[in-house]
Amino acid sequence: MKFFDIFPTFTEAPYSYIVVPIILICSIIGFYNKSFFHALVLHPYEIARGKRVHTLLTSALVHRNWRHLLFNCMVIFGLGYDTFGNLKQESGITIASLVTPLLFIMMIILPNLFQYLQEKGNFIHTSIGASNLTFGLFGFSFLYFPLQPTHSFIIPFIKNSAQYWLAVLLLLFFLLKIPKSKINKRLHLLAYLTGSLLAIIVRPQSFLEIQTVFKIFL
């Protein structure tokens, strides 16, 4: 069995093969080189004072531990492949090649901008990891083709991607209520909503399809 019998080729998932190794390499360096790690960490307090603006993007390149890193990399690889393929299917390879990296950047930066606005007066708040890209890709993938049939063993009434999107959204809101957690649950929710909105902007037809789903669902 060959590698590409299991995994997509580079031409099928170019940004998965570019972005994931960059995140892996930077994160591994960050595990052992604290100066490198701290240079990439998002610190809203310093950004508000004109410093470390680059960390709105670079904070996605470092992680706190292997579990955090590997989960994000697996999701980004799979959903990055899915995103590029969907855009290619809908609009052609040129549009997919141009839009996919822009989406990746926006999914990282926009949730971090929300964090900056909320925490710019908080000296101790910092943030790292590619979870904003991970959850942004979840939201985008669910709503880009909201009528896509899908099933859940846990929630049997889910029949399509739009209903799955709603179930995940409700779960993220529920998790916000869990106190004393080191997980940045608010960022996950913001990123999920950012990716969802980007899906509708890129493919406006999705909005009409979502309306159809929830008229039937409700």
Side-chain angles (χ1 to χ4, degrees):
M1 182 179 292
K2 297 180 181 179
F3 179 83
F4 292 118
D5 291 337
I6 303 173
F7 295 97
T9 63
F10 182 85
T11 56
E12 292 172 325
Y15 297 105
S16 294
Y17 283 109
I18 293 170
V19 172
V20 169
I22 291 173
I23 293 173
L24 279 169
I25 291 167
C26 289
S27 292
I28 292 170
I29 293 172
F31 288 157
Y32 301 101
N33 186 323
K34 294 306 176 185
S35 296
F36 179 84
F37 177 87
H38 289 297
L40 304 187
V41 171
L42 178 70
H43 191 196
Y45 184 87
E46 289 191 82
I47 293 174
R49 285 145 185 82
K51 302 176 183 178
R52 299 171 59 85
V53 177
H54 65 279
T55 62
L56 288 168
L57 179 63
T58 62
S59 59
L61 300 178
V62 288
H63 290 75
R64 295 200 186 281
N65 53 55
W66 282 101
R67 182 176 60 182
H68 188 202
L69 170 62
L70 294 177
F71 174 78
N72 282 336
C73 284
M74 287 189 294
V75 174
I76 292 166
F77 185 90
L79 293 184
Y81 165 47
D82 183 66
T83 297
F84 182 80
N86 285 339
L87 290 168
K88 181 180 175 182
Q89 174 185 332
E90 191 81 356
S91 305
I93 191 165
T94 301
I95 296 297
S97 298
L98 294 172
V99 172
T100 302
L102 292 176
L103 288 172
F104 278 29
I105 291 168
M106 285 189 287
M107 288 177 193
I108 293 169
I109 290 179
L110 291 177
N112 280 343
L113 280 173
F114 283 116
Q115 281 200 100
Y116 157 69
L117 293 172
Q118 292 172 333
E119 303 290 349
K120 60 184 179 180
N122 183 355
F123 179 76
I124 65 171
H125 181 86
T126 59
S127 181
I128 58 170
S131 295
N132 39 2
L133 178 55
T134 294
F135 282 85
L137 287 170
F138 273 125
F140 187 91
S141 296
F142 282 139
L143 290 192
Y144 191 76
F145 286 129
L147 299 181
Q148 181 75 27
T150 188
H151 300 283
S152 170
F153 294 108
I154 301 172
I155 310 174
F157 62 77
I158 288 178
K159 303 298 181 185
N160 55 53
S161 290
Q163 293 173 359
Y164 220 125
W165 173 86
L166 178 61
V168 173
L169 179 64
L170 294 174
L171 176 62
L172 290 174
F173 272 114
F174 172 77
L175 292 175
L176 279 177
K177 304 298 182 182
I178 299 177
K180 296 182 180 180
S181 171
K182 294 182 179 180
I183 298 172
N184 195 340
K185 300 182 289 293
R186 183 172 56 188
L187 175 65
H188 295 172
L189 176 60
L190 288 170
Y192 188 71
L193 293 174
T194 299
S196 304
L197 180 60
L198 288 172
I200 294 170
I201 291 171
V202 173
R203 185 175 181 269
Q205 183 183 346
S206 295
F207 183 72
L208 298 176
E209 294 173 356
I210 293 164
Q211 286 183 309
T212 302
V213 169
F214 290 117
K215 281 179 182 176
I216 297 171
F217 183 55
L218 296 174

